[in-house]
Amino acid sequence: LVCSLGKAQTRQPTCASLRIQSHLCEPTTMQSMLLLFACSAVALLPAPARQHRARGVMRMGWGDPPVWSEATIKSNTEACAGHRAIELEVPAETAQAFETAGQYVQLTIGEEKPGFYAIASAPGKATFEFLIKENEGNAYLTSLKSGAPVKCSEVSGKGYQTKEHFDGDGGAVAAQYDGFACMNVLFVAGGSGVAPLRSCIEAGVALELPQRATLYYGVRDDSVLAYQDKFDEWSKNYNVDVVTCFSQGSGGAFKGYVQDAIKAKGVAVPRNTGAAVCGPKDMFTATKELLTKEGVFESRVLSNF
């Protein structure tokens, strides 16, 4: 079926005609998976402090030592059991370098081993917010009080490339997706992996969609469900409905894992669907396999790492 949709053409103006799927397509072949970036700390050897660099090199690769700047804890509160919601005041240059939801920084104090943390707030703000799962390796950070100094690295990572794969920037709808515009978006989170997806949602990724987006949010039970106070706001202001998936305990919109909830509901117009995913590697792999089997383009199942 070929048709012309004003909403979709706004998202992909270079495409003369856009397609809407009327049937499921055969699944694509799964490529080897990269380890998904989660939001808990990853131990690294401490690196010596270096002088600040110009903004032009704020996005560095894994092979480069971090460039540290001084930041300050603005607030540190409990987000849910075993998780802290930390807001950090960062230098203006660092804040300006955060341009894409899903990017991350390294945080540390003194000679402690740095951890990698996805930024949970949307780009364009003067502060960075984080959802950090507590463990022995990051207790030096999660126990800090307001006003405490922290070392913050440059902003790193590609983040979720939604402008290309969802919005069609650069002619992606015609070049990569056979004219199938993205009109249905799924956010799929496991545990603290909801942090960069919150950034995506509040950056307005789903605002211009012709139908409502869905966040599938999987946790053990209600005690470790973060951002419950934001669900209504996401629904009213960001066009996103939340489906909570509890693997244990009672409550939740679905009993089981996020991939099981997606399978039970089904994927509407898979060829017109995109997904942003963050969580444990097994969850990411199972979710991507399911979505591609349903007919979603493999390159439209996005990680932030």
Side-chain angles (χ1 to χ4, degrees):
L1 176 65
V2 179
C3 67
S4 176
L5 298 176
K7 179 75 72 174
Q9 287 182 336
T10 299
R11 295 163 65 82
Q12 174 52 42
T14 61
C15 184
S17 62
L18 301 174
R19 300 170 65 188
I20 303 177
Q21 183 185 357
S22 59
H23 62 280
L24 292 180
C25 299
E26 291 299 317
T28 57
T29 303
M30 284 295 294
Q31 300 175 345
S32 57
M33 294 298 304
L34 295 173
L35 177 63
L36 178 66
F37 168 64
C39 302
S40 300
V42 177
L44 295 177
L45 291 176
R50 297 178 61 180
Q51 296 296 319
H52 291 270
R53 300 184 182 182
R55 187 184 171 197
V57 294
M58 286 296 285
R59 298 168 191 79
M60 301 174 65
W62 285 98
D64 297 300
V67 180
W68 298 109
S69 60
E70 293 299 321
T72 304
I73 298 287
K74 183 176 181 179
S75 64
N76 181 356
T77 59
E78 184 180 58
C80 58
H83 294 72
R84 306 299 297 180
I86 294 179
E87 185 173 8
L88 199 65
E89 296 176 332
V90 298
E93 182 183 44
T94 304
Q96 292 165 10
F98 177 36
E99 298 176 342
T100 305
Q103 291 181 298
Y104 60 91
V105 295
Q106 297 179 57
L107 301 176
T108 189
I109 61 172
E111 297 301 314
E112 297 286 352
K113 295 179 180 179
F116 290 90
Y117 300 98
I119 303 167
S121 46
K125 298 182 179 295
T127 61
F128 288 169
E129 294 181 47
F130 303 91
L131 176 65
I132 301 178
K133 184 176 181 179
E134 296 176 282
N135 58 54
E136 292 183 2
N138 63 23
Y140 68 84
L141 177 64
T142 56
S143 62
L144 291 177
K145 306 297 183 182
S146 297
V150 175
K151 291 196 295 185
C152 178
S153 75
E154 72 282 357
V155 175
S156 300
K158 63 182 176 63
Y160 291 105
Q161 296 295 301
T162 59
K163 291 187 182 298
E164 175 186 354
H165 297 287
F166 294 0
D167 298 348
D169 284 10
V173 169
Q176 300 182 51
Y177 299 115
D178 301 328
F180 288 104
C182 182
M183 296 181 290
N184 178 44
V185 168
L186 307 179
F187 301 102
V188 188
S192 59
V194 74
L197 297 180
R198 173 198 162 191
S199 182
C200 254
I201 291 169
E202 296 181 3
V205 167
L207 278 177
E208 296 185 10
L209 294 172
Q211 64 184 53
R212 297 184 64 78
T214 303
L215 166 64
Y216 291 94
Y217 181 10
V219 294
R220 183 184 68 243
D221 55 41
D222 183 75
S223 69
V224 287
L225 189 69
Y227 300 141
Q228 295 184 54
D229 59 332
K230 295 184 177 293
F231 292 172
D232 285 344
E233 178 188 1
W234 293 346
S235 178
K236 294 176 182 177
N237 299 332
Y238 295 100
N239 195 38
V240 178
D241 295 323
V242 180
V243 176
T244 54
C245 307
F246 293 173
S247 60
Q248 301 176 22
S250 59
F254 184 85
K255 174 66 174 179
Y257 297 105
V258 288
Q259 59 269 29
D260 299 323
I262 296 170
K263 185 175 182 179
K265 184 176 181 180
V267 180
V269 289
R271 264 351 211 187
N272 299 101
T273 294
V277 187
C278 190
K281 181 181 177 182
D282 289 348
M283 182 277 278
F284 182 92
T285 301
T287 298
K288 188 166 187 177
E289 287 178 349
L290 170 64
L291 292 175
T292 54
K293 184 176 180 180
E294 290 288 320
V296 178
F297 286 99
E298 185 174 351
S299 55
R300 265 193 178 144
V301 183
L302 307 182
S303 73
N304 65 320
F305 187 71

